[in-house]
Amino acid sequence: MKITNLPIFFIALFGFLCAAQTSPFTQYNTSSILPNNTVRALYVAHDGALWIGTDNGLVRKYNTTINSYFKEDGLPLNNIWAITEDANNELWVGTYGEGIAHYDGEKFTKISSKQGLIHNEITHLFNFQNNLYIGTSNGVSIVSTASKKVIASTKATTDEVIRISGFFEFNKEVYVTTYSSGIFKLSRKGNHVDLQKFSDHSFIYAAHQRNDSLYLSNKKYISVFAINDVINKKIIAPRIIENQSIVWDYVETDKETLYGGAWGIFEDDGGLIRFNKSLTNSSKISELPSSAVLSLSYDNLLKNLYVGTKDAGLFEFSTSSPIEKVPSSQEKMVDISYFKNQSIQLFTSGLQINEKFINSSFFKEKQIDYVRNNQNKLPKYEDFFYELEYDTPAEKIVFYNIKTSEDALWINTSIGLYKFSPYGAFESYLPLHTLVFDFGPSNELIETNPYHGLRVYNNDEKLDYTYYPSTLLSTPTDVVSTLKGKNKTYLLSVFKGLFTYDGTFKSLLATDVWKEKKLRHITELENNIAVSNEAGDVFIIDDTKNTFNVIRIIHQKEIRGNTIFFLNHYKGWLIIATEKGITFSSGKRQLFINEEQGIKNPVYASTIYNDQLLLASEFGKYTIDLNKLLNTPNKIDEIFITSLNINDSIVSNLSPRLQLAYTENNLSIAMETNAHPFPQKLTYYYRINENSSWQKSNNQKIDLRFLKPGAYNINVRVNDAYTGQLFEGQLLSFTIALPFYLKWWFLLLSGLFLMALVYLYFNRIRKRQLIQNALEIATTKHIEELKTEALLAQMNPHFMFNALNSIQHLVMTNENERASVYLNKFSKLVRANLNNAQRPFTNLREELDYLKVYCEIENERHANRIAIVFNIDSQINPSEVEIPTLILQPFLENAFVHAFPPSILSPMLELTVTVFNAHLNSYEIKDNGIGALSKLKRSITTSKGISLIKERLHFLNYDVETSLNVDYSENGSTITLLL
């Protein structure tokens, strides 16, 4: 057996790299939130907001909310060099060229040399006892944080420039370090302040007080003094910490950890420096992609270290992250495992077992040895299996994956299978080419073929196998993943579903046990198994009994990502890796980590060892402390409103319970939690009352439109994917008043008013009905009177008297025959009058017959000297035309009575009936009597019959003005009726 020996220096290098584990970082630059990539000042405010001073503006970062400020927003200058808060938690910003600015949350107030500053180039700000000490390029000024005014300024009495490089406080006194002039004490009496030199130690780039020690940055080293020695002017040589560059800023993350930010000015030797536990030496964090660090800050609550650089923006490290990245000297890692407590890592360039690296040349050499010694036993292209390319060079070998049997480690490559002992000793080589292989319950090797059957080796060294053809429904084909369980081996097919092998192959699809087809990954999960399909769903399956049962399905929409890379498990947690990150699901909780925590895809494989999840990736190995990650405490303890708009107007003063008018029913609420290390992991839900359903909030906003009157309690639930926990709290309570028209008093008054209106309405209807009934009775009575009057008018006493006289005269003159005829006509007329008086209408024929008899009687009295003519239009059928009863008779009577005095020698009366239009007939009564003279006579003794006819026409709904026309002339009169 031959193993490639590693040079001693390489092993040492590997050990260093493994020791140099770093927490992942997040970078912010001009492509994300910064206006400039030079970050000169950082400050974590009391509320958890990070303030970032750049060469082109000021930025406030709070969770996912980013606010930027520039000169147009009130800054004196966009070049920011210093940031701090005073005792009242109010912000102060120092610019390099235009003094300082105080920010009250709404506006900036400028203070410069015009207001008394010693110099406008601000280098440092220091808050002490309600005063702000301002270090500049040439002296110190003091500003009262109460009055916001300069109360004192000073610089050394010499002509040299006093450039302030730092402040520190000791025994309630303020001290100043300068670049080239030494260390001074600030002595203040009222508004007068002096600089008293205590040390000539020069070329100080930065100062940091740590307990009773003072760290002073010099070029290429750090001087550490006891502060008492400096103040008491003891000449003691400082302790020196060697450093390659110049440290410009310091920050402590805990009692034992100190970081420094270094930049070599003209040399590329800076970066983020971490000092060792004893603070006697330092090492550079090589993962930071910048060698020019200018500023540092630390968030004690979030445990985040912020690093500002000159050329690459801002970097954020989590010092308590459960995730660490372990760089590797090799190319990308494709698989990882632990076997018999040995670390196994497979790279594209070879295999590493613990600290031993076995390169591809070793694998090629073992293949060449086998082929040379086994020419007659090399497998052929049988049973559709692949032959190996024996001339593949070492540098072209593809390393697939790692598998373990009971007592051996197996490495699958493009030139065959390799068997090693758990400690890395090579045991054997098999000239088999397969993408997926595993072992059965009796440790027998199972070799799959992507498109055809598979082989089970009874003796792998002798290549003695049993072939299972793809024509059998029970034979697994298109196998993409396997799992060796306690009593059986599972094989997943991308087209044929799940297969099991316990000495016999079984297809769960062919036997109708489980219909799921397109499967991809499998893992154990306590006493169950978890299987994923191509669609991204995961099935939790109980296969411990004789029955196969899917007990739970995690659907793709519940998992962040579309494509599952692998499955794993840990103490009841299912681990699901996708293109977007890694989901940890326990049924009750679900966590999610991704590039935000520093894990960059692609991640190829995973293994779990000693409560750590180890990931093989393109960038080396990631280690995740599962106990730390899965037991991360809840990071959210409050939810609050950042802005409230009511009817698109901003509300500045929020009361515990808002009382709103009924018109104030459109609300827009922006909300935020306390500072969170990974705010992108937060999902917000809300409901407006306990009985309402939870709604997802977009962009941390709640828009409520057209709310009905009532009481509302807005509760918010925040799902933290980083911790897998929920936070729920009340955000806002408010009441929308009822409109006045829905209040009880208005409804009562409205009801009473409505009742009064109803009463008045129905009372009016009742009165109108009574009036209507009275009118109808009166009308009916009047009609009856008209009928009676019409009958009387037709048969007036004078007419009857004349008729009876005529009859009497004929009898007395013995003209009995004429008397009999006359009497007969008179009786017919009377009978017709009685009959027609009971009917409003009669047909034209009956009316004409009646009128002819009447005219004959009347003409008899006039000695038949009047010529009477009836003209009927041939288009008219008298039997089918109806006419108001007795409507024409009064006009004929008027002609007999008034039109024909003896002076008329040849009197004539003519009745003409013609068609006027499609709906009307014309009835014209014309005489050649005295005409206009007759009209004058009638004006004195008006014909009551004509008046009655007009009333009848009115009651019959005729327009009297158009239906009746009377025309008198010297040649007679003409009456026209349109009926």
Side-chain angles (χ1 to χ4, degrees), residues 351-610:
L351 173 69
Q352 184 171 306
I353 302 175
N354 289 335
E355 296 182 359
K356 282 193 294 188
F357 186 76
I358 306 170
N359 61 25
S360 58
S361 298
F362 172 85
F363 287 87
K364 183 61 182 178
E365 183 179 331
K366 293 305 174 184
Q367 185 203 46
I368 292 172
D369 290 345
Y370 183 89
V371 172
R372 182 188 307 117
N373 298 324
N374 297 275
Q375 282 290 335
N376 298 325
K377 294 193 299 182
L378 295 178
K380 303 297 182 183
Y381 181 68
E382 298 174 335
D383 304 326
F384 305 103
F385 279 75
Y386 294 107
E387 275 188 284
L388 287 171
E389 296 288 342
Y390 294 105
D391 58 353
T392 302
E395 63 271 15
K396 296 293 185 181
I397 297 174
V398 180
F399 293 90
Y400 294 143
N401 55 7
I402 303 169
K403 285 286 185 179
T404 58
S405 59
E406 291 181 357
D407 55 359
L409 169 70
W410 294 77
I411 306 299
N412 187 17
T413 76
S414 61
I415 63 170
L417 293 177
Y418 292 81
K419 183 179 181 182
F420 293 85
S421 74
Y423 303 99
F426 174 75
E427 292 188 355
S428 64
Y429 164 80
L430 300 180
L432 304 177
H433 191 190
T434 179
L435 293 176
V436 181
F437 73 101
D438 213 325
F439 300 91
S442 301
N443 214 37
E444 60 269 42
L445 174 65
I446 303 172
E447 177 195 10
T448 71
N449 181 301
Y451 305 108
H452 297 284
L454 54 74
R455 297 168 175 170
V456 177
Y457 287 84
N458 307 313
N459 188 322
D460 52 72
E461 291 186 2
K462 295 181 180 180
L463 299 179
D464 180 19
Y465 65 85
T466 301
Y467 174 65
Y468 292 83
S470 59
T471 54
L472 298 175
L473 292 177
S474 60
T475 299
T477 59
D478 307 304
V479 176
V480 292
S481 185
T482 63
L483 172 67
K484 185 177 182 298
K486 296 177 182 178
N487 302 313
K488 63 180 74 173
T489 299
Y490 297 91
L491 300 97
L492 275 63
S493 169
V494 74
F495 296 116
K496 300 293 182 62
L498 182 61
F499 293 82
T500 61
Y501 176 74
D502 55 4
T504 303
F505 287 103
K506 177 183 177 182
S507 168
L508 276 67
L509 178 65
T511 56
D512 292 331
V513 175
W514 194 31
K515 294 293 187 180
E516 197 68 29
K517 292 182 180 180
K518 295 189 175 184
L519 306 180
R520 275 292 176 184
H521 303 283
I522 185 169
T523 187
E524 293 179 325
L525 186 62
E526 295 185 307
N527 295 322
N528 303 314
I529 60 172
V531 178
S532 70
N533 62 14
E534 277 199 332
D537 303 319
V538 179
F539 304 86
I540 312 302
I541 299 168
D542 179 6
D543 194 29
T544 58
K545 302 177 182 178
N546 293 329
T547 58
F548 182 93
N549 183 28
V550 177
I551 57 178
R552 185 162 68 97
I553 301 176
I554 304 175
H555 295 285
Q556 185 272 330
K557 64 182 180 181
E558 302 174 54
I559 304 167
R560 302 196 185 194
N562 300 309
T563 302
I564 295 177
F565 290 167
F566 61 79
L567 300 176
N568 213 324
H569 67 100
Y570 172 78
K571 294 183 179 180
W573 287 84
L574 177 63
I575 303 171
I576 308 167
T578 71
E579 81 283 359
K580 290 188 177 180
I582 302 175
T583 298
F584 298 81
S585 176
S586 69
K588 296 180 180 179
R589 291 172 60 199
Q590 191 176 94
L591 281 71
F592 179 71
I593 59 175
N594 60 356
E595 192 168 348
E596 193 176 5
Q597 286 76 44
I599 298 178
K600 294 184 178 181
N601 274 323
V603 175
Y604 300 108
S606 70
T607 191
I608 293 176
Y609 182 72
N610 284 346

Side-chain angles (χ1 to χ4, degrees), residues 109-148:
T109 302
K110 305 173 188 178
I111 303 174
S112 67
S113 57
K114 294 179 180 179
Q115 286 78 37
L117 279 186
I118 193 69
H119 200 276
N120 282 335
E121 293 178 357
I122 311 302
T123 58
H124 288 276
L125 297 175
F126 182 70
N127 180 57
F128 180 67
Q129 291 185 344
N130 297 321
N131 289 320
L132 185 67
Y133 290 77
I134 303 165
T136 75
S137 289
N138 193 17
V140 176
S141 289
I142 302 175
V143 171
S144 168
T145 57
S147 66
K148 312 297 188 296

Side-chain angles (χ1 to χ4, degrees), residues 865-867 895 899-901 903-910 925-931 969-974:
R865 75 186 187 91
I866 301 172
F900 302 121
S903 60
I904 302 301
L905 299 178
S906 300
M908 176 179 286
L909 180 61
E910 185 177 7
I925 301 171
K926 186 176 182 181
D927 65 66
N928 59 352
I930 60 178
S969 68
E970 295 180 355
N971 298 321
S973 60
T974 304

Side-chain angles (χ1 to χ4, degrees), residues 124-299:
H124 288 276
L125 297 175
F126 182 70
N127 180 57
F128 180 67
Q129 291 185 344
N130 297 321
N131 289 320
L132 185 67
Y133 290 77
I134 303 165
T136 75
S137 289
N138 193 17
V140 176
S141 289
I142 302 175
V143 171
S144 168
T145 57
S147 66
K148 312 297 188 296
K149 294 181 179 180
V150 179
I151 59 176
S153 292
T154 186
K155 67 177 180 177
T157 57
T158 63
D159 293 333
E160 62 182 327
V161 175
I162 306 298
R163 183 178 177 85
I164 308 302
S165 60
F167 291 93
F168 66 92
E169 176 268 332
F170 189 74
N171 290 337
K172 298 184 179 180
E173 297 287 350
V174 177
Y175 296 85
V176 177
T177 63
T178 67
Y179 170 66
S180 59
S181 306
I183 304 173
F184 297 83
K185 176 184 177 182
L186 282 173
S187 298
R188 181 186 169 200
K189 292 183 179 179
N191 292 336
H192 181 74
V193 64
D194 287 328
L195 289 174
Q196 299 176 359
K197 183 178 286 190
F198 276 83
S199 173
D200 289 324
H201 188 88
S202 299
F203 303 109
I204 303 171
Y205 292 89
H208 177 72
Q209 181 183 359
R210 183 177 173 88
N211 300 324
D212 293 335
S213 296
L214 182 64
Y215 292 74
L216 302 177
S217 298
N218 300 106
K219 191 172 184 179
K220 301 292 185 181
Y221 66 92
I222 298 170
S223 302
V224 183
F225 292 90
I227 295 180
N228 269 323
D229 292 344
V230 176
I231 293 174
N232 294 321
K233 300 182 180 180
K234 292 182 179 180
I235 304 174
I236 299 175
R239 177 163 55 93
I240 301 299
I241 301 176
E242 298 291 339
N243 187 61
Q244 292 181 348
S245 188
I246 301 171
V247 176
W248 297 86
D249 202 2
Y250 297 87
V251 71
E252 298 177 40
T253 58
D254 54 48
K255 292 181 180 180
E256 297 181 346
T257 308
L258 177 67
Y259 287 91
W263 171 44
I265 304 180
F266 297 111
E267 300 178 37
D268 191 18
D269 55 6
L272 180 64
I273 309 300
R274 180 165 53 196
F275 297 91
N276 63 8
K277 185 176 180 180
S278 60
L279 302 178
T280 59
N281 208 339
S282 62
S283 60
K284 187 165 77 169
I285 306 300
S286 59
E287 289 295 296
L288 187 75
S290 175
S291 59
V293 177
L294 300 177
S295 55
L296 298 174
S297 189
Y298 184 68
D299 190 326

